[in-house]
Amino acid sequence: MTAHDRLVGVVGTGTMGQGIAQVALVAGHPVRLYDAEPGRARSAAESIAARLDRLVEKGRMDATERAAAVARLEPAQTLGELAPATLVVEAVLERLDVKQDLFRELEDIVAEDCLLATNTSSLSVTAIAGALRGPGRFVGLHFFNPAPLMPLVEVVSGAATDVTAATRAYETARAWGKTPVACADTPGFLVNRIARPFYAEAFAVYEEQGADPATIDAVLRESGGFRMGPFELTDLIGQDVNEAVTRSVWEGFFQDAKFRPSLAQRRLVEAGRLGRKSGQGWYAYGEDAERPEPHTAGPAGPPARVSVEGDLESAGALIPMMREAGIEVVQEDEDKGTRIVLPSGGQLVQADGQTSIEFRDVVYFDLAVDYRRATRIALATCQEGNPRTLGEAVGLFQALGKDVSVIGDVPGMIVARTVARIIDLAHDALARGVATEGDIDTAMRLGVNYPLGPLEWGRRLGRGWACGILEELHERDPSGRHAPSLALFRHSYTPKKWEGSA
């Protein structure tokens, strides 16, 4: 399929269909576009040609290459004109019956060695192929939007997909300049399965009155290292689209609590507040709309001296940072635990899934992907907490050059609970044979721009970190939403010495 003279057929001329066609064209293939709506294929071909013009204007494509690509692009008036194709990719309406009817028809048109592929993001590849006489040549080729720019392609093998078909699809995507990852046909495939907590935990913190959307977004960007926060990202995607994917994955996993949709997001969709495209989502997008600012604490004086018990584990970078900021640091016996003791006698502890109200005078600080580079830190304490301790904690992080957001006393805070759940779902997918460790990390870095792959993140944080956070969260919310998977439990478990009789 990688030979450049082989015809590629694309069915469906919306955003994804046009993008996939452009990718194949730029890779050197002749492409035929088909759409059931008369005239749409020709309009789509003109739109693609216009985008290639812009690439020439920006110096990203040679004018001669552009002319050759446009010459290879042909709108088809009937589905039968795709008969010579060696690959047909579908990007039509996300309805099982529509896709099955299309591929039944294509099966009678194309040659037996033609590879059939769906770009579905939410339907089962196995179910679509179930309508075919020869499902072995059917595969998922899930491109990400915008297809010409996003490097990742999920190559999804259905239950009946032949290894040779999956291999052809994988090599084709790679020849087109993409980074393919191979995965099994499970709800959400890789990216949409593992990414659910990024949205779900943020929405849960909001529903629990822990923080407002602007603050949650800022903490996940500036402390967690994510490119966009979940509220602004779902406004960009479309609340209806994002909620539909979440609901599809939840239903695909038989309404497993781990994938439960958000009631707050459902209300947005019901109200027609779909995000940027409707002018209102979590945020307003009118001409005069002002973007709300995240909650940022006012200036506070830093403590002159602190005691540190233990090495602070993943937050260990804070020790030299405090000294560089002129704060005297006295390190105590590691057996006492891992915390910062402030002059008030209160303690500053990294988020561990517990709540401040359970302890005497504790302020929690959230996880950061890199404490030196982070520009914002979230702190949490209960209403009964000591104001002096909170003030010292705020002043300490401000002395380190951080903006500080004080949020409600929610277990696991924001970044920590999100990352722990993402790590958990990644281990579960790995243990179930959905994909390899390398492909899981690649998919999450390239598909949704995570700062680290989830399994790599887990290694950095320590073998038992995510499981420990989730066990504490599960104890406080025993719905099953935060219960660690068996895979994560096994990964984290330290075997006990056998004490039975000989």
Side-chain angles (χ1 to χ4, degrees), residues 64-266:
T64 303
E65 293 173 340
R66 179 265 176 202
V70 171
R72 294 193 300 271
L73 179 60
E74 181 182 356
Q77 296 184 9
T78 67
L79 200 61
E81 293 176 51
L82 303 187
T86 54
L87 166 65
V88 177
V89 184
E90 161 274 318
V92 302
L93 189 65
E94 283 286 275
R95 274 180 43 187
L96 180 61
D97 59 336
V98 172
K99 293 180 188 291
Q100 287 180 328
D101 289 345
L102 169 65
F103 283 109
R104 282 194 194 98
E105 194 171 352
L106 279 170
E107 196 172 32
D108 292 330
I109 292 171
V110 299
E112 290 186 1
D113 62 350
C114 176
L115 190 64
L116 299 177
T118 175
N119 184 57
T120 184
S121 62
S122 61
L123 299 176
S124 164
V125 171
T126 301
I128 300 171
L132 302 181
R133 296 188 305 274
R137 60 167 161 171
F138 191 82
V139 67
L141 271 178
H142 181 214
F143 290 78
F144 289 75
N145 189 28
L149 298 179
M150 293 295 282
L152 185 72
V153 176
E154 291 178 319
V155 180
V156 186
S157 293
T161 302
D162 292 335
V163 173
T164 53
T167 301
R168 283 177 62 197
Y170 186 97
E171 293 301 331
T172 297
R174 187 161 64 177
W176 289 0
K178 298 300 182 182
T179 302
V181 293
C183 64
D185 181 26
T186 64
F189 309 142
L190 267 183
V191 172
N192 280 329
R193 170 182 179 154
I194 296 173
R196 292 351 288 165
F198 178 69
Y199 312 106
E201 293 308 309
F203 297 163
V205 171
Y206 168 74
E207 290 172 346
E208 295 163 16
Q209 301 291 294
D212 61 276
T215 299
I216 296 169
D217 277 351
V219 170
L220 282 162
R221 285 194 316 268
E222 300 173 40
S223 184
F226 294 93
R227 189 167 296 183
M228 295 181 73
F231 294 91
E232 58 188 341
L233 179 55
T234 53
D235 268 358
L236 178 63
I237 294 169
Q239 298 302 330
D240 52 340
V241 173
N242 181 261
E243 202 257 357
V245 172
T246 297
R247 187 167 294 276
S248 173
V249 173
W250 176 62
E251 291 173 349
F253 281 109
F254 307 106
Q255 300 185 355
D256 187 332
K258 287 178 180 288
F259 301 98
R260 186 174 65 235
S262 161
L263 181 59
Q265 187 181 36
R266 175 97 293 256

Side-chain angles (χ1 to χ4, degrees), residues 270-482:
E270 291 171 342
R273 296 185 170 189
L274 307 181
R276 289 180 180 270
K277 62 186 177 184
S278 70
Q280 176 74 55
W282 297 110
Y283 304 111
Y285 296 94
E287 285 187 13
D288 299 326
E290 293 186 8
R291 182 68 174 267
E293 293 293 324
H295 171 77
T296 303
R305 180 180 184 273
V306 299
S307 296
V308 174
E309 298 175 357
D311 60 4
L312 300 186
E313 298 174 342
S314 64
L318 294 176
I319 297 173
M321 289 170 63
M322 288 187 288
R323 289 186 170 128
E324 291 162 15
I327 299 172
E328 182 184 353
V329 178
V330 178
Q331 289 191 266
E332 304 287 354
D333 187 352
E334 292 187 12
D335 292 340
K336 294 182 180 180
T338 175
R339 61 182 65 86
I340 300 170
V341 181
L342 299 165
S344 66
Q347 300 173 29
L348 189 56
V349 181
Q350 188 181 40
D352 58 7
Q354 300 181 85
T355 56
S356 180
I357 199 170
E358 301 170 54
F359 302 95
R360 179 182 176 185
D361 204 9
V362 164
V363 172
Y364 278 107
F365 66 93
D366 209 349
L367 175 70
V369 65
D370 184 329
Y371 282 97
R372 279 196 176 274
R373 296 176 61 185
T375 57
R376 182 178 298 272
I377 292 293
L379 301 179
T381 188
C382 60
Q383 291 182 349
E384 298 80 4
N386 183 346
R388 181 186 169 193
T389 297
L390 178 60
E392 290 173 349
V394 169
L396 185 152
F397 279 105
Q398 289 176 342
L400 303 186
K402 317 298 182 189
D403 287 329
V404 177
S405 292
V406 180
I407 68 169
D409 189 22
V410 290
M413 301 192 68
I414 298 172
V415 182
R417 67 193 282 174
T418 300
V419 171
R421 287 212 56 219
I422 290 170
I423 291 170
D424 181 51
L425 291 189
H427 275 283
D428 184 61
L430 178 64
R432 294 178 186 274
V434 176
T436 65
E437 183 173 335
D439 277 356
I440 288 171
D441 278 351
T442 296
M444 302 314 291
R445 283 189 295 99
L446 299 185
V448 278
N449 293 308
Y450 284 3
L452 295 170
L455 299 171
E456 179 188 1
W457 215 331
R459 288 192 295 272
R460 287 196 183 189
L461 291 169
R463 193 179 185 90
W465 180 86
C467 192
I469 292 269
L470 294 176
E471 285 175 341
E472 296 290 354
L473 283 165
H474 179 59
E475 183 176 334
R476 286 149 188 81
D477 172 20
S479 65
R481 177 190 186 91
H482 299 106

